[in-house]
Amino acid sequence: MNGADRWRNMQVIARGACRICVRDPGSPGHCLKYELPPAANARDRRRRQVRHLLSMRFAWFGDNHRELRAWRRLRARLGDGLSPHVAECEAIVATPAGRALRCRLVTDGNGEIAPSLLQCLSTPDEGMSAAALCAAVDRLEAWLLAQRVPLSDLNPGNFAVVRRDGALALVCMDVKSVVAGKELIPVSHWSWTWMRRKIRRRARRLRDRIRASMGPSALAASPAPL
């Protein structure tokens, strides 16, 4: 996302189907997520519209409350072990632009906003080869399975890419799928066996997307020293 993009006079970090994320003007180390009506081209638009209408009357149904509930559930179980893998959610706050979910920004070693995996697939930074990014997915998948974290939405736009301990790592910026998925009957949330299969399947798709986006030459390239 171009840092020049603005929304209500705030710097836009990312735009999703139903939310927009901006830099908190009162605290540069935080971001604010605002809920919006679903975009015209959003997948499952009718379902999203129903949820959005419900959230206008009952905030509990909104994406921000779902994400905060999911983060708090994981934090209560995993403690400080959650921080390297998931961006911290703080609270729903009132702002001049409306109510928003306030989160800590994921930053790189220079304090700049870390790029999303989606951004890296289109304009990779030095050292971000397909091999290095696929290895980061491997480590994320292993952590999710080891800690039994039911994160089913492994979308490139949901992860920031950081350099850590001489390698690339993925930090999740949206964990709401931990408490609610898109299934009509949420079998995978009732059974860890089904959820484990789903995580493995989604991780495999994510690696395939990385390879397809960056091409064979990027896959073969050796990552530069970090």
Side-chain angles (χ1 to χ4, degrees):
M1 183 64 65
N2 190 330
D5 290 336
R6 312 290 292 182
W7 182 80
R8 300 198 178 181
N9 205 33
M10 292 180 284
Q11 177 189 345
V12 174
I13 297 173
R15 297 176 186 265
C18 298
R19 290 194 294 178
I20 188 167
C21 178
V22 300
R23 195 155 196 169
D24 187 344
S27 176
H30 293 81
C31 64
L32 298 170
K33 296 181 180 181
Y34 291 91
E35 295 183 26
L36 302 173
N41 61 346
R43 288 183 297 176
D44 303 321
R45 186 167 184 263
R46 181 166 296 182
R47 180 182 60 82
R48 294 177 187 271
Q49 281 181 318
V50 170
R51 184 175 288 278
H52 179 71
L53 291 172
L54 284 172
S55 70
M56 293 178 67
R57 186 172 180 84
F58 306 103
W60 191 86
F61 285 96
D63 284 349
N64 282 345
H65 278 265
R66 290 167 64 204
E67 184 177 357
L68 184 59
R69 289 198 307 276
W71 183 86
R72 285 175 171 170
R73 181 179 298 181
L74 292 175
R75 176 70 182 184
R77 181 163 66 86
L78 301 176
D80 292 339
L82 183 65
S83 298
H85 306 280
V86 176
E88 180 178 346
C89 296
E90 292 194 347
I92 305 291
V93 297
T95 78
R99 296 183 66 78
L101 175 60
R102 192 166 186 259
C103 305
R104 286 192 179 275
L105 279 174
V106 179
T107 57
D108 61 20
N110 298 320
E112 298 296 324
I113 299 173
S116 71
L117 177 56
L118 187 61
Q119 290 172 309
C120 293
L121 295 185
S122 56
T123 55
D125 291 341
E126 183 181 358
M128 288 190 180
S129 68
L133 289 171
C134 285
V137 176
D138 291 345
R139 288 186 286 273
L140 169 71
E141 179 185 8
W143 179 77
L144 293 175
L145 295 175
Q147 300 300 326
R148 298 172 71 95
V149 175
L151 182 72
S152 58
D153 191 359
L154 273 60
N155 184 312
N158 289 346
F159 296 96
V161 180
V162 299
R163 291 176 168 85
R164 183 184 299 151
D165 299 327
L168 299 180
L170 300 181
V171 179
C172 185
M173 300 181 292
D174 184 350
V175 292
K176 64 179 180 291
S177 65
V178 164
V179 296
K182 299 177 182 178
E183 300 163 313
L184 182 62
I185 301 176
V187 176
S188 63
H189 279 267
W190 299 339
S191 165
W192 177 245
T193 298
W194 283 94
M195 177 57 70
R196 183 171 60 245
R197 292 175 182 172
K198 176 179 279 193
I199 290 170
R200 286 174 171 163
R201 185 170 62 250
R202 298 291 172 82
R204 183 171 60 251
R205 289 179 188 172
L206 186 54
R207 286 188 290 268
D208 289 345
R209 181 167 178 180
I210 290 170
R211 296 182 184 112
S213 297
M214 302 187 74
S217 60
L219 177 61
S222 297
L226 301 179

